[in-house]
Amino acid sequence: MGDTTIAGEQSTRVPHGGASVSLIAYGWVRRTVDRLGGSIDRRLTWWVLGGFLLARVFSAVLIAWMAPSSGRLVVANREGSGPLGYWDMVHAWDGKWYEQIINEGYPQVLPLDQENRVAQNTWAFLPLFPTLTAGIMTVTGLSFPVAGSLLSIGCAAAAVVLMSVLLRERIGARAAFGATLLFSFAPSSPVLQMTYTESLGILLLTIFLWGITRHNWGVACLAALLLGFERPIALSMAGVVVAVLLRMVLRRHTEQVRPRDLVGAVTTLVVAGLSGLAWPAVAAWRTGQADAYVLTQAAWRAPGGVVPFKPWLTNFQLVFGDGKGVIVVFVVVACWFLVMAGPWSRGLGFELRAWMVSYSLYLVAITDVWTSTYRFLLFLWPVGAILIGAAQPRARDRLLVGWRTAAWVVIFAGWQIWWVFELLKFTPPADFAP
C-alpha cells in the first residue's frame, strides 16, 4: 500500500534499517567533529602541544626500534660494547660534532687531510646550540645526549606553539592545528628530539617571522643576530626583509608607511647581513685564515668547493642522467616554487610566503641536495598549510582540510619510518649522513 496522508498534515517518512543506522552514525560523526573543532578553537595551544608530543613518542619508538641494528661509527664517546640504544642514536651523526665542541672547543689550526686540503672539522658547526647544551649540563649534571635532546624538544615545542599563533590569525585555529601536526610528523622530524640544531634554529626563525609580521623590528633583529650563531641562513632572512622593503616602497602611495617601520626594516636588513658574516669572521680571527669557514664547508662537498646551483644539477644528473637530470631538476624546482607562490598560498600572508620563496632560493643556490635536504625542509613549515588546502585566501575555498590533514599525517608517518631506517641508521662501512 502507498503512504497515507491526512489533509492539512505533512507527510513524514521514517527511515528504516540501514538508512536509519547511517543517519545516526553520520549525526554522531558530525557532532563529534564539531565538538573537537570547538575544543581546538578554545584550546589550540594544548592541541598543538599534544600533537607534537604524540609525534615525538612515535619518533622515539622508531629510533629505539632501529638503534640496535645501526652501526657504531656514528656515535662518539660511547662506553660499552653492547647494541646501540635510543640515547646513543639521539646524539649520533652531527651530534658527535657538537659533543666534540663542548669537550674540546674549536681548533686554532685547520686540520688537513692526506691531500693537504682542509679536512672536516668543527668550524662547520655553529656555537649557540652546544653553548646552551653545555650550560644545561653544568646546571643539571645531565649527560650530553639527555641535555641536548631536552633542549631540542623544548625549543621545538615552543616553536610549534608560536607557529600556531602566526597561522591562527591567518587561516584559523583548526587549520593551524593541522599545519603544525604535519610539521610535527614530518619525515625528518626525529631530529627535533636529537642533538641537532634544527629545533633551536626553527624557534629563532619563527620568532624572526613573528617580529617581521608585527613590525616589531627589535625582536626581528635579536632573532636574526642569534641565528647568525645557530644556522647559516642569514641570506634567506635578508631576502625576506628586502621583499618587505620593496613592498613598502611600491605601496607608499596607497598605504601609509611609517618612518619607524622603514628605519626598522633597513636596520633588520643590516643586522641580518652582519649575522651572516659573524661566524665566518670569528673563524677567520681564531684560525688566522680569512677563508677558514668557507674551506671548512667545502670539506663536506665534492672537489671544487661550494659552487652556487651546481650541486643540484650534478646530483640530479647523477640520478637521472645528463640530459634528463637538467629537465627533472627544472621541473621539480618550478613546481615547488609554484606551490609556494601560487594563489593557493595567499592566505598565509606576504611575509610567510616571502620566507618560503627566499629560503627555497637559498636551498637551490647553496645547499647540496642529498640526504640532509629532508632536515633543511623543516624550515619551510608554512608549506604544511598549503598541503592541507588551508592557505586559500577565502575560507569557502578551503575544502576537506581535515581529511587532507589526516591523509598527510599518515603519509608522513610512513615516510618517517623510511627516514629512520634508511637515513638515520648507519650501515657500515660508510653511509650518508641524514
Side-chain angles (χ1 to χ4, degrees):
M1 295 178 60
D3 294 330
T4 302
T5 305
I6 300 176
E9 295 182 1
Q10 292 182 340
S11 174
T12 59
R13 293 179 181 271
V14 178
H16 298 282
S20 177
V21 173
S22 298
L23 286 175
I24 293 173
Y26 175 75
W28 180 84
V29 170
R30 285 295 303 269
R31 289 192 298 272
T32 301
V33 170
D34 289 341
R35 285 197 295 268
L36 288 175
S39 178
I40 292 173
D41 291 338
R42 296 188 300 272
R43 303 178 181 88
L44 176 60
T45 297
W46 294 111
W47 277 92
V48 167
L49 286 174
F52 171 78
L53 292 176
L54 177 64
R56 300 286 61 77
V57 171
F58 177 75
S59 298
V61 171
L62 292 181
I63 295 172
W65 182 16
M66 175 277 297
S69 63
S70 178
R72 299 172 57 85
L73 292 179
V74 296
V75 180
N77 301 326
R78 184 182 190 271
E79 298 179 359
S81 57
L84 300 181
Y86 173 79
W87 292 111
D88 295 313
M89 295 308 304
V90 158
H91 75 297
W93 296 105
D94 284 6
K96 67 180 183 180
W97 290 102
Y98 292 112
E99 188 172 16
Q100 182 179 338
I101 291 169
I102 292 174
N103 293 332
E104 303 174 10
Y106 292 91
Q108 291 189 334
V109 178
L110 294 178
L112 302 177
D113 60 20
Q114 295 179 348
E115 299 178 1
N116 208 37
R117 293 181 302 195
V118 173
Q120 296 179 359
N121 64 86
T122 51
W123 282 110
F125 300 89
L126 279 64
L128 185 57
F129 177 80
T131 300
L132 294 177
T133 303
I136 295 174
M137 293 169 63
T138 301
V139 172
T140 64
L142 295 173
S143 64
F144 170 73
V146 177
S149 177
L150 290 177
L151 175 61
S152 290
I153 292 173
C155 289
V160 294
V161 170
L162 189 54
M163 289 176 198
S164 71
V165 172
L166 284 170
L167 291 173
R168 179 175 191 161
E169 57 197 26
R170 289 164 173 77
I171 60 177
R174 302 179 194 187
F177 169 67
T180 57
L181 194 62
L182 259 63
F183 170 81
S184 299
F185 276 95
S188 59
S189 62
V191 300
L192 300 177
Q193 62 205 74
M194 297 175 63
T195 55
Y196 271 63
T197 62
E198 269 69 20
S199 293
L200 178 57
I202 291 170
L203 173 59
L204 291 174
L205 164 68
T206 309
I207 292 173
F208 172 78
L209 293 174
W210 182 90
I212 292 291
T213 57
R214 283 165 169 71
H215 289 185
N216 191 327
W217 306 110
V219 169
C221 284
L222 178 60
L225 184 61
L226 290 174
L227 273 166
F229 295 93
E230 217 284 329
R231 295 284 297 195
I233 58 173
L235 190 62
S236 304
M237 295 186 296
V240 176
V241 183
V242 168
V244 170
L245 279 169
L246 287 176
R247 191 168 185 251
M248 288 181 181
V249 172
L250 293 175
R251 294 192 172 191
R252 67 186 184 280
H253 298 301
T254 57
E255 296 181 5
Q256 183 179 3
V257 178
R258 298 181 299 178
R260 65 178 297 271
D261 287 333
L262 191 61
V263 173
V266 172
T267 302
T268 305
L269 179 60
V270 173
V271 171
L274 292 175
S275 74
L277 298 174
W279 186 241
V282 171
W285 169 61
R286 286 288 305 277
T287 63
Q289 194 163 340
D291 55 354
Y293 180 73
V294 174
L295 291 176
T296 298
Q297 288 289 352
W300 267 267
R301 303 293 182 90
V306 181
V307 180
F309 301 104
K310 183 179 178 181
W312 282 68
L313 289 172
T314 300
N315 290 346
F316 271 83
Q317 288 174 329
L318 180 65
V319 175
F320 297 100
D322 291 343
K324 293 181 181 179
V326 176
I327 298 174
V328 173
V329 71
F330 175 80
V331 171
V332 168
V333 172
C335 290
W336 181 248
F337 278 93
L338 184 62
V339 166
M340 293 182 298
W344 38 78
S345 68
R346 289 177 181 169
L348 291 173
F350 179 80
E351 294 85 357
L352 295 186
R353 296 172 80 204
W355 163 251
M356 291 189 293
V357 172
S358 179
Y359 182 69
S360 295
L361 285 171
Y362 160 79
L363 290 180
V364 174
I366 303 299
T367 65
D368 195 347
V369 56
W370 206 244
T371 52
S372 295
T373 304
Y374 285 99
R375 291 190 291 112
F376 300 157
L377 291 176
L378 287 172
F379 286 80
L380 287 172
W381 56 262
V383 170
I386 302 174
L387 294 179
I388 64 175
Q392 296 277 4
R394 296 179 299 186
R396 67 173 180 268
D397 294 329
R398 301 167 188 169
L399 304 176
L400 302 175
V401 171
W403 289 106
R404 291 185 185 185
T405 300
W408 276 111
V409 167
V410 171
I411 292 171
F412 277 10
W415 204 343
Q416 186 179 148
I417 295 173
W418 174 87
W419 187 90
V420 168
F421 281 87
E422 185 65 25
L423 298 186
L424 184 59
K425 176 183 176 181
F426 174 71
T427 303
D431 207 350
F432 294 104

